[in-house]
């Protein structure tokens, strides 16, 4: 006892669960010792001793005496003597706090070496070279770590000795060379510390312990804690572990190695790892000899292999988790030096979860909790081959996961043609617009130089489950030359590139990819998840194809079908434009009459794909001008047309001028000229007549008229539905008729009609009245009952405030947290991400990107209030979320907590959401709303 406090625990007595006191490493060493694993004897000096040291800048009174008592115990346990010249006890000194902090302080090995114990080590190992090597390494490590002497001095000396003796590598140095080096190192220490190297082992220990304690406040450690937000509550001070050295280089019955209790790449239940006979751990790292796979040990050292199997079983049955361990075999005895939970890839995590449950090692709950939902993404989309380590050309935003290769194409039409012809295509654009949608269908992936993670390209690609890199600013596209400069490289249309939508990297050429596999183990794990979860998981899907795909991912319905995507198909866009440009209600109705059957068949396709499950269809949301070319584009086209017309007009005068100036020449070319003029006149008539130009001018006028100061807050959503009732009416009719037709065919359908951008109760009731009217007509004309639900998006702050009243009309709510976040913060995602969000995150004004991670403190409170008030009016109110956050695990926990009925996300995120929903249920007791 020192200061009346117990500062030291032998590995036999420390509480393996008390990581705050003993540090992670110390606690584990204690735990392993106490469950009977063969750990070299040792003890842990607590984090409390560290704090006491830091307070007074000296070791607590009596601590050295306690250390001596424990060293004596070590001597007894090992039969060795600290500083002995016959059978020396050497120890390692390692730091270890409650949280793993790599790089905080290195380990000092072989402490206790001095001229006398060195002789002992030589006798013990019968290896003079090894002993001198150990000594010079110890002096260097001690000098650098405990005495703060720059490593450069030691490195320089090493180089000089190597030069002097003509040695290429460290291993070429003999025992005599290493002895010379050790003596030089001793002088370096004396010169730079002003004192001789401490040769008393206890003095070495005292200095080393103090140095480890001080390292807690060293710059590296402080910066690390700041960076990874390691607060005092998580880790306060470092412990020091003093552990008997064991040697794997004491002959052919000795070895050292590292192992995993299961294969970390596949999850297979076999010991996986490497070992080296007659070697020290450092030899493995230095790559001097090639280690062997543990499987080979079965033949080479069968006895030890059997001990290793026992170790494997004991580790797993104790920790109930895959372990990553270090071992040393000294003269036929296996020692476990360290163990920790193994880090594995997604595939291995899933497989081991399912198998460990079947082996009775873990419960089903644990199997679900140990897999981080986000890692499932790796298994569900194609990835770059793990063996590929090439350099990328540029990096943009990882907008939609997955990897894809294909030929560069700069416009959607060419993408469609070449894609249909069977070529693999990457659509490369500055940014995409709704009219590019046909190009998306045929492309393997999308790459844009502008736009964030909610740009058109990003959202559409995610919905389709295609890889997308957006906002890759290092790309400069030259449409005229059909080329692009990507980073330092110029690429042309048809050149092959590869994009990785999971990292945002763009590579030249075709990079091999590995396909996604929805293995039996994932299916099992997710089935367990569905059994546990309370939240349902829906998909955001707009086509029968994406609906079918989402169903394969386990979607339990569609939570958001954005109908505007359907307006952009090549067969519909001209009709939609006709509808927008219509000058009379009759003209508009005629366009809508042609759109109706198309929409009806779209909905029928989706209902069929989602047979038996709910499908929430959102009425048109974006402003009209999104379906027309931009004003700038039209202005350019009109200017070009005028120019061309003027040129042709000038050419038309050519024959007359030529006739006057040179009748002979005219005669000579008269035939050709007449043909040319005929061709030009026909071209002009079909392409340049005034009505072609004036049509474009009319569109331009409309585009200008539709232009809005702030389109996101303008004439869109329900506001459009109220001012152009015929558009929503057509959509409602198409939904209900599709439902009626499906019902006729005996297909079980659960349609839901959802209104976007609602701010007032009156807006909702107005649209509801359309629905009721059309519903009656459809039921009468089709002679069949059509059941459906009617609900509101909650994406406007006012709607949340009026939720109680909204629920009088709405049978369900769906939080559109993309718009709701924008509205609550009063900033747009694109502007935030491109301009100030990084600074906000860096300076801690905002912890996360609120467009990715739900802002629970603000947006979340609006949601909670809306759910509570909505359910006061209508207790059975169904409530979901369909913004991006619906696929984010942390946000899903909050959605569970406030009682949502479902989350909806893009198809490929559905498995992630299913697992997160189960975890939310399993961890609900521990859930704390951030304050
Ligand atoms: C939302 O605002 O969260 C939403 C789902 O709608 P959109 O992204 O289509 O605006
Ligand atoms: Mg929205």
């Amino acid at each position: 006892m020192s200061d009346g406090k117990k500062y030291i625990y032998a590995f036999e007595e420390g509480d393996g669960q008390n990581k705050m006191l003993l540090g992670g490493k110390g606690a584990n060493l204690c735990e392993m010792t106490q469950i009977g694993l063969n750990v070299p004897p040792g003890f842990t000096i607590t984090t409390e001793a560290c704090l006491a040291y830091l307070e007074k800048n000296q070791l607590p009174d009596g601590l050295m005496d306690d250390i001596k008592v424990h060293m004596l115990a070590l001597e007894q346990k090992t039969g060795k003597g600290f500083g002995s010249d016959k059978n020396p006890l050497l120890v390692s000194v390692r730091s270890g706090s409650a949280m793993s902090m790599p790089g905080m302080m290195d380990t000092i090995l072989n402490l206790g070496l001095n001229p006398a114990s060195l002789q002992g080590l030589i006798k013990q190992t019968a290896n003079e070279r090894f002993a001198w090597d150990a000594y010079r390494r110890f002096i260097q490590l001690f000098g650098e770590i405990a005495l703060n002497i720059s490593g450069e001095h030691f490195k320089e000396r090493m180089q000089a000795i190597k030069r002097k003796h003509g040695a290429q590598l460290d291993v070429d140095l003999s025992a005599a060379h290493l002895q010379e080096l050790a003596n030089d190192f001793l002088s370096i220490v004396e010169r730079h510390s002003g004192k001789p190297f401490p040769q008393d082992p206890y003095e070495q220990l005292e200095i080393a312990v103090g140095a480890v304690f001080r390292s807690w406040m060293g710059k590296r450690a402080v910066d690390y804690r700041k960076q990874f937000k390691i607060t005092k509550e998580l880790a306060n001070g470092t412990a020091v572990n003093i552990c008997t050295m064991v040697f794997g280089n004491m002959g052919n019955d000795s070895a050292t190695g590292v192992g995993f209790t299961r294969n970390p790449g596949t999850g297979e239940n076999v010991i996986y790892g490497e070992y080296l006979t007659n070697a020290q751990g450092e030899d493995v790292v230095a790559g001097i000899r090639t280690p062997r796979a543990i499987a080979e040990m079965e033949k080479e050292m069968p006895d030890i292999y059997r001990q290793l199997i026992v170790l494997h079983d004991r580790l797993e049955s104790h920790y109930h988790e895959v372990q990553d361990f270090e071992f040393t075999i000294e003269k036929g005895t296996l020692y476990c030096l360290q163990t920790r939970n193994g880090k594995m890839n997604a595939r291995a995590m899933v497989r081991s979860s399912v198998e460990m449950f079947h082996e009775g090692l873990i419960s089903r709950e644990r199997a679900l909790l140990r897999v981080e939902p986000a890692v499932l993404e790796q298994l569900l989309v194609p990835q770059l081959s793990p063996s590929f380590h090439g350099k990328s050309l540029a990096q943009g935003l990882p907008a939609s996961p997955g990897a894809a290769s294909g030929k560069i194409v700069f416009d959607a039409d060419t993408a469609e043609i070449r894609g249909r012809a069977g070529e693999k295509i990457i659509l490369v654009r500055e940014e995409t617009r709704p009219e590019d949608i046909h190009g998306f269908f045929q492309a393997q992936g999308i790459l844009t130089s502008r736009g964030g993670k909610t740009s058109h390209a990003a959202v559409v690609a995610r919905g389709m489950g295609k890889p997308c890199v957006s906002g890759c600013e290092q790309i400069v596209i030259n449409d005229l030359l059909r080329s692009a400069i990507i980073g330092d490289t110029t690429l042309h249309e048809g050149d092959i590139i590869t994009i990785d939508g999971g990292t945002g990297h763009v590579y030249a050429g075709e990079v091999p990819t590995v396909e996604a596999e929805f293995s039996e183990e994932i299916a099992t794990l997710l089935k367990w998840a569905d059994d546990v979860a309370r939240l349902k998981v829906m998909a955001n899907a707009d086509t029968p194809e994406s609906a079918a795909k989402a169903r394969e991912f386990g979607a339990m319905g569609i939570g958001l079908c954005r109908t505007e995507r359907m307006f952009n198909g090549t067969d519909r866009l001209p009709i939609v434009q006709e509808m927008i440009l219509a000058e009379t209600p009759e003209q508009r109705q005629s366009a809508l009459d042609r759109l109706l059957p198309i929409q009806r068949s779209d909905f029928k396709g989706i209902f069929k794909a989602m047979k038996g499950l709910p499908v929430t269809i959102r009425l048109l949301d974006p402003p009209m001008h999104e379906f027309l070319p931009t004003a700038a584009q039209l202005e350019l086209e009109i200017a070009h047309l005028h120019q061309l017309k003027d040129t042709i007009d000038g050419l038309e005068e050519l024959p007359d001028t030529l006739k006057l100036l040179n009748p002979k020449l005219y005669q000579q070319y008269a035939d050709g000229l007449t043909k040319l003029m005929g061709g030009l006149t026909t071209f002009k008539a079909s392409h340049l007549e005034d009505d072609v130009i004036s049509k474009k001018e009319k569109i331009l006028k409309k585009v200008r008229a539709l232009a809005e100061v702030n389109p996101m807050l303008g004439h869109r959503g329900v506001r459009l539905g109220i001012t152009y009732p015929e558009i929503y009416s057509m959509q409602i009719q198409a939904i209900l008729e599709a439902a009626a037709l499906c019902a006729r065919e005996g297909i079980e359908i659960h349609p839901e009609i959802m209104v976007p951008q609602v701010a007032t109760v009156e807006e909702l009731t107005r649209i509801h009245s359309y629905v009721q009217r059309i519903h009656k007509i459809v039921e009468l004309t089709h002679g069949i009952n059509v059941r459906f639900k009617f609900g509101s998006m909650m994406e406007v702050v006012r709607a949340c405030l009026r939720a109680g009243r909204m629920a009088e009309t709405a049978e369900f709510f769906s939080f559109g947290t993309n718009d709701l976040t924008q509205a609550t913060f009063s900033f747009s995602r694109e502007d935030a991400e491109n301009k100030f969000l990084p600074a906000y995150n860096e300076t801690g004004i905002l912890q996360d990107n609120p467009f990715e991670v739900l802002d629970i403190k603000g947006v979340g409170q609006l949601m909670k209030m809306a759910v509570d008030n909505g359910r006061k009016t209508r207790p059975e109110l169904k409530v979901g979320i369909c913004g991006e956050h619906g696929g984010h695990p942390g946000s899903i926990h909050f959605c569970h907590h406030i009682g949502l009925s479902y989350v909806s996300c893009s198809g490929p995120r559905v498995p992630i959401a299913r697992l997160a929903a189960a975890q939310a249920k399993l961890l609900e007791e521990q859930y704390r709303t951030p304050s």
Side-chain angles (χ1 to χ4, degrees):
M1 296 269 180
S2 19
D3 293 356
K5 260 196 173 154
K6 184 169 170 60
Y7 282 135
I8 301 182
Y9 291 83
F11 291 166
E12 290 82 356
E13 56 177 346
D15 173 5
Q17 302 306 310
N18 199 346
K19 294 193 171 159
M20 276 311 275
L21 184 70
L22 302 172
K25 199 173 284 149
N28 249 336
L29 285 164
C30 292
E31 179 117 347
M32 286 198 297
T33 305
Q34 289 162 34
I35 61 169
L37 297 182
N38 199 18
V39 175
F43 55 90
T44 302
I45 311 173
T46 65
T47 53
E48 284 178 354
C50 172
L51 300 179
Y53 174 90
L54 292 172
E55 205 179 300
K56 297 208 177 129
N57 204 20
Q58 63 182 44
L59 293 182
D61 286 346
L63 185 68
M64 262 329 278
D65 295 335
D66 285 353
I67 289 178
K68 277 183 191 156
V69 170
H70 280 86
M71 286 304 292
L72 281 176
L74 278 196
E75 287 182 330
Q76 272 171 7
K77 276 179 214 159
T78 59
K80 298 180 178 187
F82 198 37
S84 156
D85 61 356
K86 291 189 187 63
N87 189 12
L89 168 67
L90 304 182
V91 294
S92 63
V93 179
R94 293 169 195 240
S95 64
S97 73
M99 300 285 288
S100 156
M101 288 176 52
M104 189 178 87
M105 198 197 113
D106 304 305
T107 303
I108 298 179
L109 299 175
N110 298 333
L111 189 137
L113 272 179
N114 61 14
S117 57
L118 180 72
Q119 291 312 316
L121 191 61
I122 292 172
K123 275 184 222 145
Q124 217 182 20
T125 58
N127 187 340
E128 204 173 335
R129 188 189 179 284
F130 157 70
W132 280 108
D133 196 35
Y135 191 36
R136 66 99 189 165
R137 284 175 200 265
F138 166 57
I139 303 165
Q140 175 171 355
L141 272 179
F142 192 90
E144 282 182 33
I145 296 168
L147 302 175
N148 236 337
I149 298 169
S150 161
E152 286 310 307
H153 303 299
F154 299 104
K155 278 193 201 125
E156 273 168 23
R157 198 59 224 145
M158 169 65 117
Q159 291 308 330
I161 294 267
K162 281 209 279 198
R163 268 198 308 276
K164 182 172 159 194
H165 299 292
Q168 289 281 324
L169 302 169
D170 296 7
V171 279
D172 298 332
L173 294 171
S174 69
H177 302 150
L178 291 167
Q179 180 174 3
E180 184 183 349
L181 190 63
N183 287 329
D184 288 355
F185 279 6
L186 289 173
S187 315
I188 290 175
V189 170
E190 185 159 357
R191 197 159 354 109
H192 290 277
S193 67
K195 284 189 214 147
F197 185 86
Q199 297 292 16
D200 171 3
Y202 278 106
E203 194 186 342
Q204 291 173 359
L205 200 49
E206 185 170 355
I207 295 173
V209 171
V212 174
F213 286 159
R214 275 196 307 280
S215 74
W216 180 253
M217 290 314 291
K219 185 171 165 12
R220 263 196 302 171
V222 172
D223 287 351
Y224 188 94
R225 292 202 291 278
K226 204 165 142 201
Q227 171 80 19
F228 293 96
K229 303 189 176 100
I230 300 180
T231 58
K232 278 190 180 152
E233 288 66 43
L234 295 174
N236 199 9
T238 178
V240 181
N241 300 296
I242 314 275
C243 189
T244 308
M245 290 288 303
V246 284
F247 296 98
N249 52 350
M250 286 208 172
N252 284 335
D253 56 354
S254 300
T256 186
V258 288
F260 262 86
T261 51
R262 290 178 197 233
N263 184 323
T266 64
E268 194 190 351
N269 187 5
V270 285
I271 302 186
Y272 176 91
E274 293 176 325
Y275 73 103
L276 263 178
T277 0
N278 198 9
Q280 264 199 314
E282 281 169 336
D283 298 338
V284 183
V285 181
I288 296 164
R289 282 159 49 195
T290 314
R292 298 195 194 184
I294 283 184
E296 289 181 35
M297 196 190 265
E298 196 172 357
K299 277 202 205 98
E300 204 196 18
M301 304 168 107
D303 256 10
I304 301 289
Y305 184 73
R306 270 193 293 279
Q307 288 186 49
L308 214 53
I309 297 283
V310 173
L311 175 66
H312 163 278
D313 293 349
R314 300 197 64 175
L315 283 173
E316 282 205 346
S317 62
H318 180 75
Y319 287 98
H320 303 285
E321 187 46 272
V322 175
Q323 294 295 298
D324 164 3
F325 60 99
E326 284 176 23
F327 63 91
T328 285
I329 300 150
E330 187 184 274
K331 298 197 167 171
T333 306
L334 176 72
Y335 293 92
C336 189
L337 303 184
Q338 190 175 322
T339 191
R340 58 185 169 199
N341 291 348
K343 285 203 168 58
M344 295 189 287
N345 70 15
R347 208 162 123 215
M349 280 306 280
V350 171
R351 178 170 170 179
S352 56
S353 260
V354 173
E355 291 189 353
M356 287 203 293
F357 167 73
H358 287 309
E359 290 159 22
L361 273 179
I362 55 174
S363 65
R364 209 170 266 195
E365 287 70 30
R366 181 74 210 129
L368 286 166
L369 285 170
R370 68 188 282 280
V371 180
E372 206 194 307
V375 304
L376 292 186
E377 196 157 70
Q378 288 174 26
L379 301 177
L380 303 166
V381 290
Q383 300 285 322
L384 293 187
S385 159
S387 57
F388 173 75
H389 300 293
K391 198 171 168 294
S392 70
L393 294 175
Q395 188 176 16
L397 298 170
S400 174
S405 302
K407 292 180 181 164
I408 297 177
V409 161
F410 292 108
D411 67 280
D413 292 344
T414 317
E416 186 176 38
I417 294 165
R418 295 180 74 159
R420 277 191 198 283
E423 291 184 62
K424 288 190 167 171
I425 296 301
I426 302 288
L427 179 61
V428 182
R429 313 259 306 136
E430 261 183 13
E431 57 190 344
T432 58
R433 289 181 50 80
E435 63 263 27
D436 293 325
I437 193 84
H438 54 298
F440 277 63
F441 287 128
Q442 296 303 327
Q444 309 307 119
I446 323 301
L447 170 62
T448 67
S449 59
R450 283 213 303 259
K453 286 193 195 165
T454 41
S455 60
H456 175 264
V459 175
V460 176
R462 272 202 296 281
M464 290 185 179
K466 296 200 178 202
C468 173
V469 173
S470 67
C472 187
E473 286 169 3
Q474 293 130 292
I475 298 185
V476 184
I477 297 172
N478 188 328
D479 269 329
L480 226 57
L481 296 178
R482 312 290 290 174
S483 69
I485 301 171
I486 306 185
D488 305 327
T489 311
T490 302
L491 293 170
H492 297 93
E493 192 151 74
D495 287 347
I496 294 179
I497 55 168
T498 300
I499 59 169
D500 183 348
T503 61
H505 282 289
V506 181
Y507 302 89
E510 182 163 351
V511 175
T513 52
V514 284
E515 277 308 308
E517 48 162 340
F518 207 83
S519 66
E520 217 173 284
E521 283 96 3
I522 305 190
T524 306
L525 193 75
L526 292 176
K527 161 87 183 52
W528 295 347
D530 296 346
D531 292 345
V532 164
R534 190 184 47 70
L535 277 172
K536 296 263 176 274
V537 179
M538 310 285 173
N540 294 355
D542 319 315
T543 60
E545 295 74 34
S546 55
K549 214 164 163 191
R551 213 172 170 157
E552 281 171 25
F553 285 126
M556 301 159 201
I558 290 183
L560 174 63
C561 171
R562 293 173 163 106
T563 47
E564 56 270 23
R565 304 269 165 80
M566 298 168 179
F567 278 19
N568 281 304
T570 30
D571 53 336
R572 318 103 199 252
L573 192 60
I575 315 178
V576 174
Q577 291 181 339
E578 208 180 304
M579 169 191 83
I580 299 170
L581 296 168
E583 277 165 3
T584 63
E586 292 74 30
Q587 279 174 356
R588 176 164 306 118
Q589 196 53 52
S590 145
L592 287 168
D593 289 346
R594 274 170 291 145
L595 278 175
L596 175 76
I598 303 177
Q599 283 260 276
R600 193 169 49 213
S601 103
D602 289 334
F603 296 140
K604 218 178 140 195
I606 293 177
F607 290 149
K608 276 186 173 169
M610 279 287 156
K611 190 163 66 174
L613 299 173
V615 175
T616 309
I617 296 170
R618 181 177 76 184
L619 301 176
L620 197 67
D621 185 28
M624 292 294 202
H625 52 77
E626 281 205 8
F627 299 100
L628 296 174
T630 62
Q633 202 178 331
L634 283 164
E635 279 159 9
L636 199 73
E637 276 176 31
I638 293 168
H640 280 157
L641 288 174
H642 276 301
Q643 229 173 25
L644 198 58
K645 190 158 177 280
D646 289 350
T647 313
I648 294 177
D649 286 348
L651 282 175
E652 279 171 350
E653 285 164 19
L654 181 70
D656 295 341
T657 321
L658 194 60
K659 206 174 191 173
L660 274 178
L661 284 176
N662 193 337
K664 217 164 141 196
L665 196 64
Y666 171 79
Q667 211 46 55
Q668 217 172 327
Y669 295 113
D671 260 8
L673 280 172
T674 315
K675 259 195 209 143
L676 174 68
M677 293 332 298
L680 281 177
T681 312
T682 322
F683 177 80
K684 204 170 100 180
S686 59
H687 291 92
L688 299 173
E689 267 321 310
D690 280 351
D691 72 310
V692 175
I693 297 179
S694 67
K695 249 189 208 157
K696 293 227 182 255
E697 279 169 343
K698 216 173 92 190
I699 301 178
L700 178 60
K701 208 166 136 203
K702 187 76 184 178
V703 168
R704 287 194 180 128
L706 290 174
E708 291 174 306
V709 178
N710 193 336
M712 294 309 286
L713 304 176
H715 194 183
R716 59 177 290 208
V718 67
R719 290 156 329 241
L720 202 71
I722 289 190
T723 44
Y724 296 98
E726 56 278 22
I727 299 178
Y728 271 22
S729 297
M730 180 277 287
Q731 290 198 300
I732 295 162
Q733 187 181 342
I735 295 167
L736 295 174
E737 284 187 350
L741 292 172
C742 284
R744 266 269 154 77
E745 289 173 30
I747 300 166
E748 191 191 332
I749 35 124
H750 299 277
E752 303 190 345
I753 298 173
M754 179 159 77
V755 190
Q757 302 294 332
V758 176
T760 74
V761 174
E762 289 69 22
E763 285 170 332
L764 198 64
T765 49
R766 181 76 59 87
I767 304 299
H768 192 225
S769 70
Y770 303 173
V771 172
Q772 283 176 315
R773 178 176 50 81
I774 297 165
H775 181 231
K776 267 195 203 116
I777 299 170
V778 171
E779 284 199 330
L780 268 177
T781 45
H782 288 261
I784 194 160
N785 279 349
V786 178
R787 297 190 154 282
F788 69 99
K789 279 194 161 69
F790 178 77
S792 176
M793 288 281 286
M794 302 297 268
E795 52 185 343
V796 171
V797 175
R798 194 177 187 283
C800 295
L801 299 171
R802 300 283 291 152
R805 285 288 320 282
M806 291 280 178
E808 288 171 7
T809 310
E811 295 167 275
F812 67 90
F813 288 166
S814 179
F815 289 104
T817 45
N818 301 335
D819 277 313
L820 193 57
T821 300
Q822 172 167 277
T824 308
F825 277 95
S826 269
F827 57 62
S828 77
R829 180 168 192 169
E830 273 76 11
D831 288 333
E833 286 177 352
N834 291 330
K835 299 192 173 82
F836 52 85
L837 200 54
Y840 267 42
N841 288 151
E842 251 163 52
T843 53
I845 292 177
L846 282 175
Q847 300 295 329
D848 298 298
N849 177 347
F851 293 100
E852 279 174 2
V853 180
L854 188 72
D855 162 49
I856 290 170
K857 295 181 199 164
V859 179
Q861 292 319 299
L862 277 172
M863 291 170 67
K864 183 170 172 4
M865 185 182 68
V867 175
D868 293 348
N869 290 338
R871 293 228 171 104
K872 269 184 207 146
T873 306
R874 188 189 286 268
E876 74 288 4
L877 185 75
K878 177 173 164 181
V879 189
I881 175 174
C882 63
E884 290 277 306
H885 310 88
H888 175 259
S891 311
I892 291 172
H893 281 247
F894 177 74
C895 292
H896 174 91
H897 174 70
I898 59 167
L900 291 203
S901 324
Y902 69 90
V903 297
S904 187
C905 56
S906 67
R909 291 198 78 80
V910 165
I912 296 170
R914 288 165 69 193
L915 184 55
Q919 294 186 351
K921 170 71 188 159
L922 293 172
L923 299 173
E924 65 186 357
E925 307 272 291
Q926 279 138 274
Y927 187 83
R928 299 276 170 276
T929 313
S931 50

